[in-house]
Amino acid sequence: MQKSKLALAGMAVLSVVTLAACSNGGSNGSADKTVKLPKTYNNTKKAQKGGTLKIAEVNDAPFQGITDPALASNAEDQDVFAPMQQDLMNFDNNHKFVDGGPANLKIDKSAKTVTITLRDNLKWSDGKPVTAKDVEYAQEVVGSPDSTSQQYSDSMGEMVGMDAFHSGKAKTISGISMPDGENGKKVVMHFKHMAPGMQYSGQSFFWEYAEPYHQIKNIPIAKLASSAAERKNPVTYAPYTLKKVVAGESTTFVPNKYYWGSKPKIDNVTFQVVSTSAIQQALKSHKYDFASGGLPSAKYPQIKKTSGYKVVGARSRSLGYFGFNLGHFDTKSGKNVMDSNMKMSNKSLRQAMGYALNLDEINKKFGNGLQERATTLLPKYFSQFHDKSAKGFPLNIKKANKLLDDAGYKKHGKYRQTPDGKPLVIKVAAMKGSSVLQAEEDDYMQQWRKIGLNVKYVSGKPMEMNSFYSMLQAPKSNKYDVFEAAWSLGTEPSQQQGYGEGSQFNMGHFVTKKNTELLTNIDSAKAFNTSYRKQQFNKWQEYMNQQAAYIPDSEGIGYNMINKRVKNYTLNPKDSNEQFAKLALTSNSLATK
């Protein structure tokens, strides 16, 4: 199945939290029963000079066209603009920051500071140097009260002065200093508290990119996402620069002549949106070198046999889940607000809907060994902190019915009523996609009707992806009660950005004192002690399963088919930040044997 997903945290190429594509598999517990695939394609042939790399963006909807990771929220945008996006810091296979990238980072726990030092030869693609002001302004773009960015979270409020800036009470962020001036290469960020996540790419305490201040300083931040500087002629310090974009359909890139690192080896990189129903034939016809956006697990048995390609794969950070509309986002305070009068506010109703689903069977049927039922909101990708003892929501119709009966949702004819005797109609928001996805979504509806719930699709049918997420990301909406979606999580496991009180990605608007306490503990200074952090993560996973404000659905292995002419392709995290600079081709023909 293929679902579009949302992107959450800030990091490069493979590391942002987003709404994007994911699939389903099957397992009764937390033991990993998925297939094992190589992470790297080792092509030993000699690389040629130049050529055109052709990439398929697998999606059933057009991309939005936002080039800036700070302003994009859909993973599709981050896919199709990946060659021109690069994290400021390099990282190792555990996503811990290391020296050697566009900038180096130093953490001083006693002084409560994070210092970013840019390399001397780092330039924008228009030849202008990347400066301290560019790093500082990136924090403003994310934190501004006028920003359309959804990447701000409570964690970023740990930066000194950020709360006042984010609320509009201050015009600058007092906790950021530039010792050598705005045109210098050093930025020092001061924090109220230090957290272990600050050592890793994908954290949400500060933004890990720079913004071209010289190009966008006169554009109001509120209008930045729709500006020509963002949509048509963006500048970058990454390996490639944008040559052409066909709105919603394709992107083309050429080498950045001012790139700080090794000269890119390919003349052109192109992305083309390809539907899930067409991707198998497109690969068979050798139209693309590999895919971004994920290949459908339902077609894995057929696709993996495609001649001229090698299959690679790795445990995914993606998580399919169900969410419930429990309140709204208060734009004035910048906080989510839970409303006890919302239709889905009863925990027993939410739990019952979880136990009614036959997720093991769905994942087994369509996952082809790549996907399994997720048991917590923290995927197994984060093996150090994932709670292996968690059971999640295995099928249990008897338990689901008892939960509803005990909570007062009595049957009146075919369907159940609310505890106060009123008709109960539950509006379900789902995304339009492949025939497999439609079959899965219809099965969910059928299972809910089995326990007497009158469920109906919003607008009578699944929705187009962009319309779906526009509805979910509206500050307040009564158009839906339940939604099925997917995350592509950041590489640092902190959950503030997805489920915090101030996070716009907390689209179910779940807020409790206990949740805030656990999220704070996970990111506290005490959490530099790994055993303590593990304990708090386990408590949070248990609590979230018990609350059922979000119900984990699926997780597993993301796979890709790599054309045999591609050289230096790997899924190892340490190589992802400079991957596009290293990719090469060994032939002009995609029909390589």
Side-chain angles (χ1 to χ4, degrees), residues 20 29 103 135 138 143 198 292 296 320 334 368-369 374 377 409 419 443 511 524 531 558 570:
V135 178
M198 293 175 179
S292 64
N368 291 302
L377 294 174
Y409 290 91
D443 186 80
V511 181
S524 67
S531 61
T570 179

Side-chain angles (χ1 to χ4, degrees), residues 283-304:
L283 292 173
K284 187 176 180 180
S285 301
H286 299 98
K287 289 185 177 180
Y288 301 99
D289 287 296
F290 55 84
S292 64
L295 289 169
S297 57
K299 296 185 178 182
Y300 174 65
Q302 296 78 34
I303 290 179
K304 71 177 181 179

Side-chain angles (χ1 to χ4, degrees), residues 137-153:
Y137 197 61
Q139 315 308 312
E140 291 192 31
V141 168
V142 175
S144 169
D146 300 322
S147 181
T148 58
S149 173
Q150 303 213 348
Q151 300 291 349
Y152 187 86
S153 72

Side-chain angles (χ1 to χ4, degrees), residues 93 119 167 241 449:
N93 277 333
R119 59 168 54 243
S167 63
T241 186
R449 291 181 182 124

Side-chain angles (χ1 to χ4, degrees), residues 543-592:
Y543 176 72
M544 292 300 280
N545 276 352
Q546 184 258 338
Q547 291 295 309
Y550 293 95
I551 290 176
D553 169 356
S554 63
E555 62 166 306
I557 302 295
Y559 78 102
N560 212 334
M561 301 299 293
I562 312 303
N563 192 286
K564 289 184 178 180
R565 74 171 186 151
V566 176
K567 191 175 178 69
N568 302 327
Y569 185 95
T570 179
L571 295 175
N572 287 320
K574 69 182 180 65
D575 299 307
S576 64
N577 206 31
E578 297 180 49
Q579 173 108 58
F580 276 99
K582 296 176 179 178
L583 286 175
L585 302 174
T586 60
S587 169
N588 280 323
S589 172
L590 278 88
T592 303

Side-chain angles (χ1 to χ4, degrees), residues 25-45:
S27 169
N28 283 314
S30 197
D32 192 345
K33 297 181 180 179
T34 52
V35 301
K36 302 296 187 291
L37 296 173
K39 290 184 178 181
T40 299
Y41 166 43
N42 294 309
N43 185 350
T44 58
K45 293 180 181 178

